[in-house]
Amino acid sequence: MPRTPQQLADDVQAIWRAGVEAVKSDALVRENVRIEGDTLLLADAEFSLGEIDRIVVVGGGKAGTGMVQGLIEALGPEVIAAKRMTGIVSVPEDCVRQLPPIEVSAGRPAGVNAPTEAGVELTARMLDLVGGITPRDLCICLISGGGSALLPAPVQGITLAQKQEVTRLLSGAGANIEQLNTVRKQLSRFKGNGLATACRSGNLVSLIISDVLGDPLDVIASGPTVPNQTTAADALKVLLDFQADCQPGLAPLVEFVRRQAADKRPPVEPSCLVQNFIIGNNAVAVDAAGIEAERRGYSHAMLSAKGMEGAAEEIGAHLARMAIKMRSEPGPDCLITGGEPVVHLVEESQRGKGGRNQQLVLSGLTTLMENSDANPLTGIALLSGGTDGEDGPTDAAGAWLDEASFTRMQEEGLEPLNYLRRNDAYHFFEPLGRLLQTGPTHTNVCDVRVVVVDRIQPQPGQ
């Protein structure tokens, strides 16, 4: 059955949104926290409520607000009161809500994925809180994507400004999240098992929504409750590979890591029993998007990346080539992929505004244009969006394109390659009305991309 351009446009957005809906943080927590009689179940961990004096909640991330909401609803007012539940969770400013008895506070401004002094203050208070509880208390840590920037706790002798500078340097040079976190953990009192070693409760349970492909526990939010699998020597290598030692302002930071690499003492072990559980990830979102695609009559193919991807431009070009193939050959007519590519930024003086998903879709358009003299989006709709509702330092989750977009582009006189080269995809999609603007979704499981096509019907005699 042929699909109209409007149907393709509606479908590509609905399929993506179904993926995001499946990883809403409040629902994921409610599915993994329940009370059965006198037993508290946290994922696969069981506790007798009679053996718990207090419940203390800490953590942070873009999904933090929803996770707190889900936890409060799952525990109920009687348990919350009886166990004198309290806690602090750090979230982006546009996610702040009043959710007593948990304090949900802003650890950074909206759309600025960098540590701030407000985040430092919140994290220090969390460390004080968990350091003052007892073995009969239960500590619940709520962790989600974005936690690294929201939970800064610089080690003594290193300033937040230095941490911010090294993060900007590494990110701008194309460092991936594993490399960033390898460095962050050596500079933090909270990350790299720091929260676990500071905690004095008998049990510490982390409920984790993964924003890292393959779900490595030590990488998500830099692993505050997970033994550090990387060393100071690994961090030093990252710093030297990206020439951080050539930046005068970072000399004290590099020397600190160099001294740590030379220190052969074993790491401090936690005194509490620590259990970590993944309750949501990219594969869950991709699977749910696939179910929606099937419901809408598509034969779909799905792939959730298990590790770091390459450049956003390359991923966009690949999706464009797959769209052309699907449009003209038998087989799937919907492709859903999940992952997290990187963007190599041009010099700041030339740089525009955008994010990796917008850059990816724009690259896909340029590839489609290379392969067609007519409207290259005929019978194709393509979308890429961050499940957190953020794409770079913008108010968009990503972008999408359909057949009508190309006509509008020509009317506006926009040249996509120029915007692509300047990392200025936002200003390309804005006049087309093709920015994907959702606001905060209160979850974060990397990106989901959707391609849908209307199969070209063979002409009589072909």
Side-chain angles (χ1 to χ4, degrees):
M1 173 79 78
R3 298 184 176 95
T4 67
Q6 186 61 53
Q7 184 179 353
L8 292 175
D10 293 343
D11 288 348
V12 77
Q13 296 175 79
I15 291 168
W16 182 84
R17 291 178 187 277
V20 175
E21 190 67 28
V23 288
K24 284 294 184 69
S25 51
D26 56 341
L28 289 173
V29 171
R30 286 195 303 270
E31 291 168 8
N32 285 275
V33 177
R34 61 189 188 277
I35 305 292
E36 294 184 358
D38 189 48
T39 300
L40 168 60
L41 301 173
L42 300 174
D44 291 333
E46 296 187 13
F47 302 97
S48 170
L49 286 170
E51 296 177 2
I52 298 172
D53 285 349
R54 297 170 63 208
I55 295 176
V56 173
V57 180
V58 294
K62 296 178 182 179
T65 302
M67 295 184 83
V68 170
Q69 179 68 49
L71 182 64
I72 288 173
E73 292 172 357
L75 293 178
E78 292 183 6
V79 170
I80 288 171
K83 301 307 170 185
R84 295 174 290 150
M85 189 167 82
T86 188
I88 306 166
V89 173
S90 177
V91 302
E93 190 172 35
D94 56 347
C95 295
V96 171
R97 285 179 55 194
Q98 297 298 313
L99 293 170
I102 309 301
E103 176 189 339
V104 180
S105 291
R108 67 162 174 83
V112 181
N113 195 27
T116 66
E117 291 293 351
V120 171
E121 189 270 337
L122 284 174
T123 309
R125 289 174 54 206
M126 290 182 209
L127 290 169
D128 288 343
L129 180 60
V130 301
I133 54 182
T134 74
R136 281 187 57 84
D137 297 328
L138 169 65
C139 183
I140 300 175
C141 184
L142 304 176
I143 291 294
S144 58
S148 288
L150 286 160
L151 297 165
V155 294
Q156 187 172 4
I158 299 299
T159 67
L160 177 62
Q162 288 169 330
K163 287 188 68 176
Q164 290 171 317
E165 184 178 351
V166 77
T167 298
R168 284 193 295 269
L169 171 70
L170 296 176
S171 298
N176 62 38
I177 192 167
E178 283 92 346
Q179 292 168 318
L180 285 167
N181 286 349
T182 294
V183 172
R184 285 166 171 163
K185 284 188 276 192
Q186 295 301 323
L187 304 175
S188 175
R189 296 185 295 127
F190 192 89
K191 300 173 174 68
N193 219 30
L195 173 63
T197 57
C199 185
R200 294 295 174 261
S201 66
N203 288 277
L204 168 58
V205 176
S206 284
L207 302 178
I208 303 166
I209 297 177
S210 172
D211 71 326
V212 184
L213 302 168
D215 307 332
L217 289 170
D218 62 312
V219 176
I220 303 163
S222 303
T225 60
V226 183
N228 192 356
Q229 300 300 311
T230 59
T231 65
D234 296 325
L236 181 62
K237 183 179 186 305
V238 173
L239 292 170
L240 297 181
D241 285 349
F242 287 94
Q243 300 182 324
D245 56 324
C246 298
Q247 304 295 319
L250 294 179
L253 184 151
V254 175
E255 286 308 307
F256 171 84
V257 176
R258 200 186 299 275
R259 290 194 302 272
Q260 292 297 105
D263 188 345
K264 303 304 181 183
R265 288 177 295 180
V268 177
E269 296 293 331
S271 62
C272 55
L273 175 63
V274 181
Q275 299 180 76
N276 297 292
F277 300 102
I278 299 285
I279 63 171
N281 60 15
N282 185 257
V284 172
V286 169
D287 287 346
I291 291 171
E292 178 63 17
E294 185 174 343
R295 191 185 72 80
R296 288 174 175 260
Y298 289 90
S299 171
H300 61 279
M302 301 184 299
L303 175 66
S304 176
K306 300 302 182 186
M308 291 303 299
E309 297 186 296
E313 296 84 355
E314 295 172 3
I315 303 296
H318 172 72
L319 291 179
R321 289 190 292 268
M322 291 301 296
I324 294 169
K325 182 180 178 69
M326 290 192 301
R327 185 176 57 179
S328 59
E329 298 180 9
D333 52 4
C334 172
L335 175 62
I336 303 163
T337 67
E340 187 170 286
V342 296
V343 173
H344 295 287
L345 300 175
V346 298
E347 183 183 339
E348 190 170 358
S349 62
Q350 303 174 33
R351 192 184 312 158
K353 182 178 179 180
R356 62 178 181 262
N357 289 283
Q358 297 162 56
Q359 188 85 348
L360 184 155
V361 176
L362 188 53
S363 175
L365 174 60
T366 62
T367 300
L368 289 170
M369 290 174 65
E370 291 169 1
N371 289 272
S372 175
D373 294 328
N375 187 330
L377 284 159
T378 299
I380 294 174
L382 164 66
L383 181 152
S384 184
T387 55
D388 56 359
E390 289 186 356
D391 187 33
T394 75
D395 60 359
W400 62 284
L401 287 170
D402 62 343
E403 187 173 329
S405 307
F406 187 75
T407 303
R408 183 69 183 274
M409 179 197 83
Q410 292 178 313
E411 293 171 351
E412 294 286 337
L414 302 177
E415 173 47 60
L417 197 56
N418 290 338
Y419 288 87
L420 187 70
R421 289 169 176 162
R422 298 197 309 269
N423 304 131
D424 198 23
Y426 186 97
H427 292 123
F428 176 84
F429 290 110
E430 187 177 33
L432 303 183
R434 293 299 184 265
L435 290 170
L436 183 63
Q437 293 174 305
T438 64
T441 62
H442 302 296
T443 192
N444 185 17
V445 295
C446 302
D447 305 333
V448 173
R449 288 94 57 151
V450 183
V451 179
V452 292
V453 303
D454 178 39
R455 190 100 58 206
I456 295 176
Q457 301 300 312
Q459 297 300 313
Q462 291 185 324

